[in-house]
Amino acid sequence: MLEIIKEPWPWYVAGPLIGLTVPILLIIGNKSFGISSSLRHICAACIPANISFFKYDWKKESWNLFFVFGIFLGGVISAYFLANPNPVEIAPELSAQLATYGITDHSGLVPTQLFSWESLLTLRGFIMIVVGGFLVGFGTRYAGGCTSGHAIMGISNLQWPSLVATICFMIGGFVMSLLILPYILSL
């Protein structure tokens, strides 16, 4: 059984399992799936400030905090017990293209030449980590939710704003990977 868990699951198994969270949450208690809102709940619980954005009954959404903690705990358990000791397998063409940018270490889930404490002190690393993180946070707040909330929960509930947001997420991803990322990597 452990070998089955360690192997990557095909999309036709993993996708429906993720998709089933929507009806389960709706049936259990009319709950909405989304990860980015949990940061708001944590801030509302921990910061006793007089900020109107954080003045609401966050205890009604405490289930979301347990859900996010479960995701974190699952990640820790899988990284500790289910980690693949082999380097990440990528297409040879992609490996050759990344080597032109000086990215040759594929031993982890992310290239250490881009995502490490040492790279944070470079212009390329600062843009990827700090500016990228800010843009993800800003975009999540501006769009009224993250990709999981809009693409999984919103579209399954036939919400027009979620479809628009998901289309914009996809267009932004294409523009970033095809036009902007090669420029950043060449820095």
Side-chain angles (χ1 to χ4, degrees), residues 51-70:
I51 301 171
S52 61
F53 184 70
F54 296 127
K55 292 181 108 181
Y56 67 98
D57 188 12
W58 62 268
K59 292 176 184 173
K60 285 184 180 177
E61 302 297 326
S62 61
W63 71 270
N64 195 323
L65 299 176
F66 287 105
F67 188 83
V68 170
F69 179 72

Side-chain angles (χ1 to χ4, degrees), residues 39-186:
L39 180 60
R40 180 181 183 206
H41 305 322
I42 291 170
C43 290
C46 297
I47 302 173
N50 194 11
I51 301 171
S52 61
F53 184 70
F54 296 127
K55 292 181 108 181
Y56 67 98
D57 188 12
W58 62 268
K59 292 176 184 173
K60 285 184 180 177
E61 302 297 326
S62 61
W63 71 270
N64 195 323
L65 299 176
F66 287 105
F67 188 83
V68 170
F69 179 72
I71 292 172
F72 171 75
L73 187 62
V76 169
I77 290 170
S78 65
Y80 187 73
F81 293 110
L82 306 174
N84 185 352
N86 302 323
V88 174
E89 295 180 22
I90 62 172
E93 297 84 11
L94 178 60
S95 181
Q97 185 179 10
L98 289 174
T100 62
Y101 297 116
I103 301 170
T104 55
D105 183 10
H106 307 293
S107 60
L109 292 178
V110 294
T112 55
Q113 287 97 349
L114 287 178
F115 300 100
S116 66
W117 289 108
E118 294 81 25
S119 70
L120 182 60
L121 301 176
T122 66
L123 179 62
R124 177 170 74 171
F126 183 82
I127 291 172
M128 294 292 290
I129 298 170
V130 177
V131 175
F134 172 78
L135 289 174
V136 167
F138 176 79
T140 299
R141 179 69 188 118
Y142 186 72
C146 60
T147 52
S148 62
H150 281 299
I152 297 171
M153 188 73 186
I155 291 178
S156 66
N157 286 330
L158 303 176
Q159 294 178 0
W160 176 251
S162 290
L163 178 63
V164 172
T166 303
I167 290 170
C168 291
F169 293 152
M170 294 300 296
I171 291 171
F174 292 141
V175 169
M176 178 63 190
S177 63
L178 296 174
L179 302 176
I180 301 171
L181 185 62
Y183 175 73
I184 293 171
L185 291 179
S186 65

Side-chain angles (χ1 to χ4, degrees), residues 7-21 152:
E7 293 295 318
W9 291 7
W11 64 267
Y12 51 83
V13 174
L17 286 175
I18 293 171
L20 285 174
T21 60
I152 297 171

